[in-house]
Structure formats: C-alpha cells, structure tokens
Amino acid sequence: YTFINEGKKDQNYMFENYPTLASESFQASGAPIFDSTLLYEWMKTPHKTIDVFYADGGTEFREVEGGAIKVREDPVRGHEYIIGIDPADGEVNGDDSALCVIDVTNAKLKTVAAYNGTISQNDLAEMSYDLAMRYNQAMLVPERNMGQLMIKWLTEVKGYLNIWTDVAKV
C-alpha cells in the first residue's frame, strides 16, 4: 500500500523513507551525505562516552562509562564544527532524537561526537547548545519538520543564533 500510494512506486523513495536496513536510508538518494561503510567503521572505532552535568550555574562534561554522548575527538581550538540535529517527537512517541558533531575544518568532514536516544525537545536543545559551546560555538543545523520548538527555545531562551534554517519558513 505504502509503495503504491505514498511512494508512487518509486523504489529509491521507499528505501530512503521506509528502510528495512539502516544503511538503506543513506544509500538511496542520488547524493548521499553519509557513506554507510564509514558509519559502521565509526561505530566500531574506540570512543569515550560523556554526559552533561549542571552545577553551580555552570555546565560540565564528564567522561562516564555508558554516557549518552559518544566522543571520538575532543574539540580543537581553531577548528570549525557543525552539529546536525534530528529531533524526534519527544520522550513517548516516535523514533530517537539524534545529533552529530562534524569537524569541517579544511573542508574535511569528520564525525567527532554523536548522540541518539529518547529525549524531550527542550533537553535536546539544551544538549545541542552545550555541545555547540563546547565545540567552538558550532553552527547548529536542526531538521525543521520536528525542530520548531527546539529552534524557538535555542533562540529565545538561550539567545543562540548560530543556527542554519530556511529563512523563508522561519
């Protein structure tokens, strides 16, 4: 039904939007951003895990076993970072929220940190902000279909404006 009525019998559309394997969603489009082979390699690469802690009005990142954020490389002064954010519907419904910190220095794309899990949009916005500040005031690039609340929270509550959005729709 979905293939015929929603996918208009377009196999690439089906693979991208209704994958049976995670890698299909990245391989289906004409110009995939993520190479699934690199994603699997990254998942196997040794990394540390950190969590965010708030105390005395400050933010602290601590390495903890089983932490929510996987870190392959700590921030480097002078490097430029972009954080892609895929917010989900919240803590009850939908898929996991995710974010990916990418070092774009010298036009080399390298994933240095990642998160995925069930989290409210406000908490995801807070985590995104904290990671952006940690990674040299990184540009945040949220997916818009579920990220309106998050974008509003980042701009109005935190005053963070280094966010890429489609200005015609904001």
Side-chain angles (χ1 to χ4, degrees), residues 7-43:
K8 308 283 190 259
K9 298 183 182 179
D10 180 345
Q11 191 171 20
N12 282 339
Y13 175 87
M14 289 301 294
F15 284 148
E16 188 173 345
N17 293 284
Y18 300 95
T20 54
L21 302 171
S23 60
E24 285 178 355
S25 61
F26 297 110
Q27 294 171 337
S29 65
I33 294 173
F34 301 110
D35 179 338
S36 60
T37 305
L38 292 176
L39 289 172
Y40 286 117
E41 285 176 15
W42 191 84
M43 289 188 298

Side-chain angles (χ1 to χ4, degrees), residues 1-119:
Y1 173 85
T2 304
F3 179 67
I4 294 168
N5 294 309
E6 292 178 29
K8 308 283 190 259
K9 298 183 182 179
D10 180 345
Q11 191 171 20
N12 282 339
Y13 175 87
M14 289 301 294
F15 284 148
E16 188 173 345
N17 293 284
Y18 300 95
T20 54
L21 302 171
S23 60
E24 285 178 355
S25 61
F26 297 110
Q27 294 171 337
S29 65
I33 294 173
F34 301 110
D35 179 338
S36 60
T37 305
L38 292 176
L39 289 172
Y40 286 117
E41 285 176 15
W42 191 84
M43 289 188 298
K44 293 177 186 174
T45 303
H47 59 271
K48 64 182 178 181
T49 57
I50 62 172
D51 275 331
V52 184
F53 295 89
Y54 304 99
D56 301 323
T59 302
E60 183 182 331
F61 290 90
R62 291 187 211 148
E63 186 173 344
V64 293
E65 189 165 332
I69 304 165
K70 296 176 183 172
V71 176
R72 193 160 116 189
E73 292 182 17
D74 287 323
V76 177
R77 185 182 303 230
H79 280 220
E80 185 177 350
Y81 299 94
I82 293 176
I83 301 176
I85 310 163
D86 181 5
D89 201 12
E91 296 180 275
V92 179
N93 299 324
D95 58 353
D96 286 351
S97 293
L99 65 78
C100 184
V101 182
I102 302 169
D103 186 339
V104 295
T105 307
N106 302 322
K108 294 180 181 177
L109 300 179
K110 180 170 44 170
T111 302
V112 295
Y115 165 82
N116 75 294
T118 305
I119 188 171

Side-chain angles (χ1 to χ4, degrees), residues 110-166:
K110 180 170 44 170
T111 302
V112 295
Y115 165 82
N116 75 294
T118 305
I119 188 171
S120 73
Q121 282 201 24
N122 283 351
D123 289 342
L124 181 63
E126 183 80 33
M127 180 190 299
S128 301
Y129 172 80
D130 293 335
L131 283 169
M133 297 307 290
R134 176 178 169 87
Y135 283 93
N136 305 337
Q137 296 183 339
M139 177 180 287
L140 298 176
V141 183
E143 181 184 45
R144 293 186 40 81
N145 66 344
M146 296 300 263
Q148 294 294 4
L149 175 64
M150 188 180 78
I151 293 167
K152 183 174 179 158
W153 191 90
L154 283 164
T155 56
E156 293 180 10
V157 175
K158 292 306 241 182
Y160 197 76
L161 300 176
N162 194 11
I163 301 172
W164 188 92
T165 59
D166 181 355

